[in-house]
Coordinates of all heavy atoms in Angstrom, one line a residue:
M1 N 199.0 118.5 -17.0 CA 198.3 119.6 -16.4 C 197.7 119.0 -15.1 O 197.3 117.9 -15.0 CB 197.2 120.1 -17.3 CG 196.5 121.3 -16.8 SD 195.2 121.9 -17.9 CE 196.3 122.9 -18.9
F2 N 197.6 119.8 -14.1 CA 197.1 119.4 -12.8 C 195.6 119.2 -12.9 O 194.9 119.9 -13.6 CB 197.4 120.4 -11.7 CG 198.8 120.7 -11.5 CD1 199.4 121.8 -11.8 CD2 199.6 119.7 -10.9 CE1 200.8 122.0 -11.6 CE2 200.9 119.8 -10.7 CZ 201.6 121.0 -11.1
P3 N 195.0 118.2 -12.2 CA 193.6 117.9 -12.3 C 192.7 119.1 -11.9 O 191.7 119.3 -12.5 CB 193.4 116.7 -11.3 CG 194.8 116.1 -11.2 CD 195.7 117.2 -11.4
V4 N 193.2 119.9 -10.9 CA 192.3 121.0 -10.4 C 192.3 122.1 -11.5 O 191.2 122.7 -11.8 CB 192.9 121.6 -9.1 CG1 192.2 122.8 -8.7 CG2 192.9 120.5 -8.0
A5 N 193.5 122.4 -12.1 CA 193.5 123.4 -13.2 C 192.7 122.9 -14.4 O 192.0 123.7 -15.0 CB 195.0 123.6 -13.6
R6 N 192.8 121.6 -14.7 CA 192.1 121.1 -15.9 C 190.6 121.2 -15.6 O 189.8 121.6 -16.5 CB 192.4 119.6 -16.1 CG 191.8 119.1 -17.4 CD 192.2 117.7 -17.7 NE 193.6 117.3 -17.4 CZ 194.0 116.2 -16.8 NH1 193.1 115.4 -16.4 NH2 195.2 116.0 -16.6
A7 N 190.1 120.9 -14.4 CA 188.7 121.1 -14.1 C 188.3 122.5 -14.1 O 187.2 122.8 -14.6 CB 188.4 120.5 -12.7
A8 N 189.1 123.4 -13.7 CA 188.7 124.8 -13.7 C 188.6 125.3 -15.1 O 187.7 126.1 -15.5 CB 189.8 125.7 -12.9
L9 N 189.6 124.9 -16.0 CA 189.5 125.3 -17.4 C 188.2 124.7 -18.1 O 187.6 125.4 -18.9 CB 190.7 124.9 -18.2 CG 192.0 125.7 -17.9 CD1 193.2 125.1 -18.6 CD2 191.8 127.2 -18.3
N10 N 187.9 123.5 -17.7 CA 186.7 122.9 -18.3 C 185.5 123.6 -17.9 O 184.6 123.8 -18.7 CB 186.7 121.4 -17.9 CG 185.7 120.6 -18.7 OD1 185.2 121.1 -19.7 ND2 185.3 119.4 -18.2
L11 N 185.4 124.0 -16.6 CA 184.2 124.7 -16.1 C 184.1 126.1 -16.8 O 183.0 126.5 -17.2 CB 184.3 124.9 -14.6 CG 184.0 123.6 -13.8 CD1 184.2 123.9 -12.3 CD2 182.5 123.2 -14.1
T12 N 185.3 126.7 -17.0 CA 185.3 128.1 -17.6 C 184.8 127.9 -19.1 O 184.0 128.7 -19.5 CB 186.7 128.7 -17.6 OG1 187.1 128.8 -16.2 CG2 186.7 130.1 -18.2
A13 N 185.3 127.0 -19.8 CA 185.0 126.8 -21.2 C 183.5 126.4 -21.3 O 182.8 126.9 -22.2 CB 185.8 125.7 -21.8
R14 N 183.0 125.6 -20.4 CA 181.6 125.2 -20.4 C 180.7 126.4 -20.1 O 179.7 126.5 -20.8 CB 181.4 124.1 -19.4 CG 180.0 123.5 -19.6 CD 179.7 122.3 -18.6 NE 180.7 121.3 -18.8 CZ 181.1 120.4 -17.9 NH1 180.7 120.5 -16.7 NH2 182.0 119.5 -18.2
G15 N 181.1 127.2 -19.2 CA 180.3 128.4 -18.9 C 180.3 129.4 -20.1 O 179.2 129.9 -20.4
I16 N 181.4 129.5 -20.8 CA 181.4 130.4 -22.0 C 180.5 129.8 -23.1 O 179.7 130.5 -23.7 CB 182.8 130.6 -22.5 CG1 183.6 131.4 -21.5 CG2 182.9 131.3 -23.8 CD1 185.1 131.5 -21.7
Q17 N 180.6 128.5 -23.3 CA 179.8 127.9 -24.3 C 178.3 128.0 -24.0 O 177.5 128.2 -24.9 CB 180.2 126.4 -24.5 CG 181.5 126.2 -25.1 CD 182.0 124.7 -25.0 OE1 181.4 123.9 -24.3 NE2 183.0 124.4 -25.7
H18 N 178.0 127.8 -22.7 CA 176.6 127.9 -22.3 C 176.0 129.3 -22.5 O 174.9 129.5 -23.0 CB 176.5 127.5 -20.8 CG 175.1 127.3 -20.3 ND1 174.3 126.3 -20.7 CD2 174.3 128.1 -19.5 CE1 173.1 126.4 -20.1 NE2 173.1 127.5 -19.4
T19 N 176.8 130.3 -22.2 CA 176.4 131.7 -22.3 C 176.2 132.0 -23.8 O 175.3 132.7 -24.2 CB 177.5 132.6 -21.8 OG1 177.6 132.3 -20.4 CG2 177.0 134.1 -21.9
A20 N 177.1 131.5 -24.7 CA 177.0 131.8 -26.1 C 175.8 131.1 -26.7 O 175.1 131.7 -27.5 CB 178.3 131.2 -26.8
V21 N 175.4 129.9 -26.3 CA 174.2 129.2 -26.7 C 173.0 130.0 -26.3 O 172.0 130.2 -27.0 CB 174.2 127.8 -26.3 CG1 172.9 127.2 -26.5 CG2 175.3 127.0 -27.0
R22 N 173.0 130.4 -25.0 CA 171.9 131.2 -24.5 C 171.6 132.5 -25.3 O 170.5 132.8 -25.6 CB 172.1 131.5 -23.0 CG 170.9 131.4 -22.2 CD 171.1 131.6 -20.7 NE 172.5 131.4 -20.3 CZ 173.1 132.0 -19.3 NH1 172.5 132.9 -18.6 NH2 174.4 131.7 -19.0
Q23 N 172.7 133.2 -25.6 CA 172.6 134.4 -26.3 C 172.2 134.2 -27.7 O 171.5 135.1 -28.3 CB 173.9 135.2 -26.2 CG 174.1 135.8 -24.8 CD 175.4 136.6 -24.7 OE1 176.2 136.6 -25.6 NE2 175.6 137.2 -23.6
A24 N 172.6 133.1 -28.3 CA 172.2 132.9 -29.7 C 170.7 132.6 -29.9 O 170.2 132.9 -30.9 CB 173.0 131.7 -30.2
H25 N 170.1 132.1 -28.9 CA 168.7 131.7 -28.9 C 167.8 132.9 -28.5 O 166.6 132.8 -28.6 CB 168.4 130.5 -28.1 CG 168.8 129.3 -28.8 ND1 170.1 128.8 -28.6 CD2 168.2 128.4 -29.6 CE1 170.2 127.7 -29.3 NE2 169.1 127.4 -29.9
R26 N 168.4 133.9 -28.0 CA 167.7 135.1 -27.5 C 167.2 135.9 -28.6 O 167.9 136.1 -29.6 CB 168.5 135.9 -26.5 CG 167.7 136.9 -25.7 CD 168.6 137.5 -24.7 NE 169.6 138.3 -25.3 CZ 170.6 139.0 -24.6 NH1 170.7 138.8 -23.4 NH2 171.5 139.7 -25.3
K27 N 166.0 136.5 -28.5 CA 165.5 137.4 -29.5 C 166.3 138.7 -29.5 O 166.6 139.3 -28.5 CB 164.0 137.7 -29.3 CG 163.4 138.4 -30.4 CD 161.9 138.5 -30.2 CE 161.2 139.2 -31.3 NZ 159.8 139.3 -31.1
Y28 N 166.6 139.2 -30.7 CA 167.4 140.4 -30.8 C 166.6 141.6 -30.5 O 165.5 141.8 -31.1 CB 168.1 140.6 -32.2 CG 168.8 141.8 -32.4 CD1 170.1 142.0 -31.8 CD2 168.3 142.9 -33.1 CE1 170.8 143.1 -31.9 CE2 169.1 144.1 -33.2 CZ 170.3 144.2 -32.7 OH 171.0 145.3 -32.8
E29 N 167.1 142.5 -29.6 CA 166.4 143.7 -29.3 C 167.3 144.9 -29.6 O 168.4 144.9 -29.2 CB 166.1 143.8 -27.8 CG 165.1 142.7 -27.3 CD 164.9 142.7 -25.8 OE1 165.4 143.6 -25.2 OE2 164.3 141.8 -25.3
P30 N 166.8 145.8 -30.4 CA 167.7 147.0 -30.8 C 168.0 147.8 -29.6 O 167.2 148.1 -28.7 CB 166.8 147.7 -31.8 CG 165.4 147.3 -31.6 CD 165.5 145.9 -31.0
N31 N 169.2 148.3 -29.5 CA 169.7 149.2 -28.4 C 169.5 150.6 -28.9 O 169.0 150.9 -29.9 CB 171.1 148.8 -28.0 CG 172.1 149.0 -29.1 OD1 171.8 149.6 -30.1 ND2 173.3 148.5 -28.9
F32 N 170.0 151.5 -28.0 CA 169.9 153.0 -28.3 C 170.5 153.3 -29.7 O 169.9 154.1 -30.4 CB 170.5 153.8 -27.2 CG 170.5 155.3 -27.4 CD1 169.4 156.0 -27.1 CD2 171.6 155.9 -28.0 CE1 169.3 157.4 -27.3 CE2 171.5 157.3 -28.2 CZ 170.4 158.0 -27.8
H33 N 171.7 152.8 -29.9 CA 172.4 153.2 -31.2 C 171.7 152.7 -32.4 O 171.7 153.3 -33.4 CB 173.8 152.7 -31.1 CG 174.6 153.2 -30.0 ND1 175.0 154.5 -29.9 CD2 175.0 152.7 -28.8 CE1 175.7 154.8 -28.8 NE2 175.7 153.6 -28.1
D34 N 171.1 151.5 -32.3 CA 170.3 151.0 -33.4 C 169.1 151.8 -33.7 O 168.7 152.1 -34.8 CB 169.8 149.5 -33.1 CG 171.0 148.6 -33.1 OD1 172.0 148.8 -33.8 OD2 170.9 147.6 -32.4
K35 N 168.4 152.3 -32.6 CA 167.2 153.1 -32.8 C 167.5 154.5 -33.2 O 166.9 155.1 -34.1 CB 166.5 153.2 -31.4 CG 165.8 151.9 -31.0 CD 165.0 152.1 -29.7 CE 164.4 150.8 -29.3 NZ 163.7 151.0 -28.0
Y36 N 168.5 155.2 -32.6 CA 168.7 156.6 -32.7 C 170.0 157.0 -33.3 O 170.3 158.2 -33.4 CB 168.5 157.3 -31.4 CG 167.2 157.0 -30.7 CD1 167.1 156.2 -29.6 CD2 166.0 157.4 -31.3 CE1 165.9 155.9 -29.0 CE2 164.8 157.1 -30.7 CZ 164.7 156.4 -29.5 OH 163.6 156.1 -28.9
G37 N 170.8 156.1 -33.7 CA 172.2 156.4 -34.1 C 172.3 157.3 -35.3 O 173.0 158.3 -35.3
N38 N 171.5 157.0 -36.3 CA 171.6 157.8 -37.5 C 171.0 159.2 -37.2 O 171.5 160.2 -37.7 CB 170.8 157.2 -38.7 CG 171.5 156.0 -39.2 OD1 172.7 155.8 -39.0 ND2 170.8 155.0 -39.7
L39 N 169.9 159.3 -36.4 CA 169.3 160.6 -36.1 C 170.3 161.5 -35.3 O 170.4 162.7 -35.6 CB 168.1 160.3 -35.3 CG 167.2 161.6 -35.0 CD1 166.6 162.1 -36.3 CD2 166.0 161.2 -34.1
V40 N 171.0 160.9 -34.4 CA 172.0 161.6 -33.6 C 173.1 162.1 -34.5 O 173.6 163.2 -34.4 CB 172.5 160.8 -32.4 CG1 173.7 161.4 -31.7 CG2 171.4 160.5 -31.4
L41 N 173.6 161.2 -35.4 CA 174.7 161.6 -36.3 C 174.2 162.8 -37.2 O 175.0 163.7 -37.4 CB 175.0 160.4 -37.2 CG 176.2 160.6 -38.2 CD1 177.5 160.9 -37.5 CD2 176.3 159.4 -39.1
L42 N 173.0 162.7 -37.8 CA 172.6 163.8 -38.6 C 172.3 165.1 -37.9 O 172.6 166.1 -38.4 CB 171.3 163.3 -39.3 CG 171.4 162.2 -40.4 CD1 170.1 161.8 -40.9 CD2 172.3 162.7 -41.5
G43 N 171.8 164.9 -36.6 CA 171.7 166.1 -35.8 C 173.0 166.8 -35.5 O 173.1 168.0 -35.6
G44 N 174.0 166.0 -35.2 CA 175.3 166.6 -34.9 C 175.9 167.2 -36.1 O 176.5 168.3 -36.1
A45 N 175.7 166.6 -37.3 CA 176.2 167.2 -38.5 C 175.5 168.5 -38.8 O 176.1 169.5 -39.3 CB 176.1 166.2 -39.7
A46 N 174.2 168.6 -38.6 CA 173.5 169.8 -38.8 C 173.9 170.9 -37.9 O 174.1 172.1 -38.3 CB 172.0 169.6 -38.6
V47 N 174.1 170.6 -36.6 CA 174.6 171.6 -35.7 C 176.0 172.1 -36.1 O 176.3 173.3 -36.0 CB 174.6 171.1 -34.2 CG1 175.3 172.0 -33.3 CG2 173.2 170.9 -33.7
F48 N 176.9 171.2 -36.4 CA 178.2 171.5 -36.9 C 178.2 172.5 -38.0 O 178.9 173.5 -38.1 CB 179.0 170.3 -37.2 CG 180.3 170.5 -37.8 CD1 181.4 170.6 -36.9 CD2 180.6 170.5 -39.1 CE1 182.7 170.8 -37.4 CE2 181.8 170.7 -39.7 CZ 182.9 170.8 -38.8
T49 N 177.3 172.2 -39.0 CA 177.2 173.0 -40.2 C 176.7 174.4 -39.9 O 177.2 175.4 -40.4 CB 176.3 172.3 -41.3 OG1 176.9 171.0 -41.5 CG2 176.2 173.1 -42.5
V50 N 175.7 174.5 -39.1 CA 175.1 175.8 -38.7 C 176.0 176.6 -38.0 O 176.2 177.8 -38.3 CB 173.8 175.6 -37.9 CG1 173.3 176.8 -37.3 CG2 172.7 175.0 -38.8
V51 N 176.7 176.1 -37.0 CA 177.6 176.9 -36.2 C 178.8 177.4 -37.0 O 179.1 178.6 -37.0 CB 178.2 176.0 -35.0 CG1 179.3 176.7 -34.3 CG2 177.1 175.8 -34.0
W52 N 179.4 176.5 -37.8 CA 180.5 177.0 -38.7 C 180.1 177.9 -39.8 O 180.8 178.8 -40.2 CB 181.3 175.8 -39.2 CG 182.3 175.3 -38.2 CD1 182.2 174.1 -37.5 CD2 183.4 175.9 -37.7 NE1 183.2 174.0 -36.6 CE2 184.0 175.1 -36.7 CE3 184.1 177.2 -38.0 CZ2 185.2 175.5 -36.0 CZ3 185.2 177.5 -37.3 CH2 185.8 176.6 -36.3
G53 N 178.8 177.7 -40.3 CA 178.3 178.6 -41.2 C 178.1 180.0 -40.7 O 178.4 181.0 -41.3
Y54 N 177.7 180.1 -39.4 CA 177.6 181.4 -38.7 C 179.0 182.0 -38.6 O 179.2 183.2 -38.8 CB 176.9 181.2 -37.4 CG 176.9 182.5 -36.6 CD1 176.0 183.5 -36.9 CD2 177.8 182.7 -35.6 CE1 176.0 184.7 -36.2 CE2 177.8 183.9 -34.9 CZ 176.9 184.9 -35.1 OH 177.0 186.0 -34.4
V55 N 179.9 181.2 -38.1 CA 181.2 181.7 -37.8 C 181.9 182.3 -39.1 O 182.4 183.4 -39.1 CB 182.1 180.6 -37.2 CG1 183.6 181.1 -37.2 CG2 181.7 180.3 -35.8
F56 N 181.7 181.6 -40.2 CA 182.3 182.0 -41.5 C 181.6 183.2 -42.1 O 182.3 184.0 -42.8 CB 182.3 180.9 -42.5 CG 183.4 179.8 -42.2 CD1 183.1 178.5 -42.3 CD2 184.7 180.2 -41.9 CE1 184.0 177.5 -42.0 CE2 185.6 179.2 -41.6 CZ 185.3 177.9 -41.7
T57 N 180.3 183.4 -41.8 CA 179.6 184.5 -42.5 C 179.3 185.6 -41.7 O 179.3 186.8 -42.1 CB 178.3 183.9 -43.1 OG1 177.5 183.4 -42.1 CG2 178.6 182.8 -44.2
Q58 N 179.0 185.5 -40.4 CA 178.4 186.5 -39.6 C 179.2 187.0 -38.4 O 178.9 188.0 -37.8 CB 177.0 186.1 -39.0 CG 176.0 185.6 -40.1 CD 175.6 186.8 -40.9 OE1 175.4 187.9 -40.5 NE2 175.5 186.5 -42.2
A59 N 180.2 186.3 -38.0 CA 180.9 186.6 -36.8 C 181.9 187.8 -37.0 O 182.3 188.4 -36.0 CB 181.7 185.4 -36.3
G60 N 182.1 188.3 -38.2 CA 183.0 189.4 -38.4 C 184.4 189.2 -38.2 O 185.2 190.1 -38.0
I61 N 184.8 188.0 -38.3 CA 186.3 187.6 -38.2 C 186.9 187.9 -39.6 O 186.4 187.5 -40.6 CB 186.4 186.1 -37.8 CG1 185.8 185.9 -36.4 CG2 187.9 185.8 -37.8 CD1 185.8 184.4 -36.0
E62 N 188.0 188.6 -39.5 CA 188.8 188.8 -40.7 C 189.7 187.6 -41.0 O 190.5 187.3 -40.1 CB 189.6 190.1 -40.6 CG 188.8 191.3 -40.5 CD 189.6 192.6 -40.5 OE1 190.8 192.5 -40.8 OE2 189.0 193.6 -40.1
W63 N 189.5 187.0 -42.1 CA 190.2 185.8 -42.4 C 191.5 186.0 -43.2 O 191.9 185.1 -43.9 CB 189.3 184.8 -43.1 CG 188.2 184.3 -42.2 CD1 186.9 184.9 -42.3 CD2 188.2 183.4 -41.2 NE1 186.1 184.2 -41.3 CE2 186.9 183.3 -40.7 CE3 189.2 182.6 -40.7 CZ2 186.5 182.5 -39.6 CZ3 188.8 181.7 -39.6 CH2 187.5 181.7 -39.1
G64 N 192.1 187.2 -43.1 CA 193.3 187.4 -43.9 C 194.4 186.7 -43.2 O 195.0 187.1 -42.1
L65 N 194.8 185.6 -43.7 CA 195.8 184.7 -43.1 C 197.3 185.2 -43.4 O 198.2 184.8 -42.7 CB 195.6 183.3 -43.5 CG 194.3 182.7 -43.2 CD1 194.2 181.3 -43.7 CD2 194.1 182.7 -41.7
S66 N 197.4 185.9 -44.5 CA 198.8 186.4 -44.8 C 199.2 187.6 -44.1 O 198.5 188.6 -44.1 CB 198.8 186.6 -46.3 OG 200.1 187.1 -46.7
P67 N 200.4 187.6 -43.4 CA 200.8 188.8 -42.7 C 201.5 189.9 -43.6 O 201.9 190.9 -43.1 CB 201.8 188.3 -41.7 CG 202.4 187.1 -42.4 CD 201.2 186.5 -43.2
V68 N 201.6 189.6 -44.9 CA 202.3 190.5 -45.8 C 201.5 191.8 -45.9 O 200.3 191.9 -46.1 CB 202.4 189.9 -47.2 CG1 203.0 190.9 -48.2 CG2 203.2 188.6 -47.2
G69 N 202.2 192.9 -45.6 CA 201.6 194.2 -45.6 C 201.0 194.6 -44.3 O 200.6 195.7 -44.1
R70 N 200.8 193.7 -43.4 CA 200.2 194.0 -42.1 C 201.3 194.2 -41.0 O 201.1 194.9 -40.1 CB 199.3 192.9 -41.7 CG 198.1 192.7 -42.6 CD 197.3 191.6 -42.2 NE 196.2 191.3 -43.1 CZ 195.0 191.4 -42.9 NH1 194.5 191.7 -41.7 NH2 194.1 191.1 -43.9
V71 N 202.4 193.4 -41.1 CA 203.4 193.5 -40.1 C 204.4 194.6 -40.5 O 205.0 194.5 -41.6 CB 204.1 192.1 -40.0 CG1 205.2 192.2 -39.0 CG2 203.1 191.0 -39.6
T72 N 204.6 195.5 -39.7 CA 205.6 196.6 -39.9 C 206.7 196.5 -38.9 O 206.4 196.3 -37.7 CB 204.9 198.0 -39.9 OG1 204.3 198.1 -38.6 CG2 203.9 198.1 -41.0
P73 N 207.9 196.7 -39.3 CA 209.0 196.6 -38.3 C 208.9 197.8 -37.4 O 208.5 198.9 -37.8 CB 210.2 196.6 -39.2 CG 209.8 197.2 -40.5 CD 208.3 196.9 -40.7
K74 N 209.3 197.6 -36.2 CA 209.4 198.6 -35.2 C 210.9 199.0 -34.9 O 211.8 198.1 -35.1 CB 208.8 198.2 -33.9 CG 207.3 198.0 -34.0 CD 206.7 197.6 -32.7 CE 205.2 197.5 -32.8 NZ 204.5 197.1 -31.5
E75 N 211.1 200.2 -34.4 CA 212.5 200.6 -34.1 C 213.0 199.7 -32.9 O 212.2 199.4 -32.0 CB 212.5 202.0 -33.7 CG 212.2 203.0 -34.8 CD 213.3 202.9 -35.9 OE1 214.5 202.7 -35.5 OE2 213.0 203.0 -37.1
W76 N 214.3 199.4 -33.0 CA 214.9 198.6 -31.9 C 215.1 199.4 -30.7 O 215.6 200.5 -30.8 CB 216.2 198.0 -32.5 CG 216.9 197.1 -31.5 CD1 217.9 197.4 -30.7 CD2 216.6 195.8 -31.2 NE1 218.3 196.4 -29.9 CE2 217.5 195.3 -30.2 CE3 215.6 194.9 -31.7 CZ2 217.4 194.0 -29.7 CZ3 215.6 193.6 -31.2 CH2 216.5 193.2 -30.2
R77 N 214.7 198.9 -29.6 CA 214.9 199.6 -28.3 C 216.1 199.0 -27.6 O 216.2 197.8 -27.4 CB 213.7 199.5 -27.4 CG 212.5 200.3 -27.9 CD 211.4 200.2 -27.0 NE 210.9 198.8 -26.9 CZ 210.0 198.4 -26.1 NH1 209.4 199.2 -25.3 NH2 209.6 197.1 -26.1
E78 N 217.0 199.8 -27.1 CA 218.2 199.3 -26.4 C 218.0 199.5 -24.9 O 217.4 200.3 -24.4 CB 219.4 199.9 -26.9 CG 219.7 199.5 -28.3 CD 221.1 200.1 -28.8 OE1 222.0 200.1 -27.9 OE2 221.2 200.4 -29.9

């Protein structure tokens, strides 16, 4: 391996090791997802349930999925 490339790899590896050691000693601080993740998930589930509950019960949509008896043949036009 060329001396310049070997030195560059050594510096890169040393930088990564230094960063890892620095982060390992740092105090852990919770981020947004740690603080509010479960609350956001439960809120989304509640909104989902309310909206679909309304659609299924109050929207007046007829949920007859079978076309039997609803589709009538029409005369063929030439």
Side-chain angles (χ1 to χ4, degrees):
M1 185 179 277
F2 298 111
V4 174
R6 188 180 317 135
L9 286 175
N10 191 17
L11 285 175
T12 302
R14 188 176 303 152
I16 291 171
Q17 290 171 349
H18 189 74
T19 302
V21 168
R22 216 177 338 152
Q23 289 180 353
H25 286 84
R26 192 172 68 184
K27 190 174 182 180
Y28 178 74
E29 298 174 7
N31 60 14
F32 178 84
H33 300 288
D34 293 331
K35 289 182 181 178
Y36 307 110
N38 291 335
L39 188 64
V40 170
L41 180 67
L42 292 174
V47 169
F48 176 86
T49 304
V50 167
V51 168
W52 280 108
Y54 173 78
V55 168
F56 284 134
T57 59
Q58 302 295 321
I61 300 173
E62 294 183 16
W63 295 98
L65 300 177
S66 176
V68 175
R70 294 176 190 245
V71 178
T72 56
K74 294 183 178 179
E75 292 294 326
W76 182 260
R77 290 184 295 176
E78 292 188 35

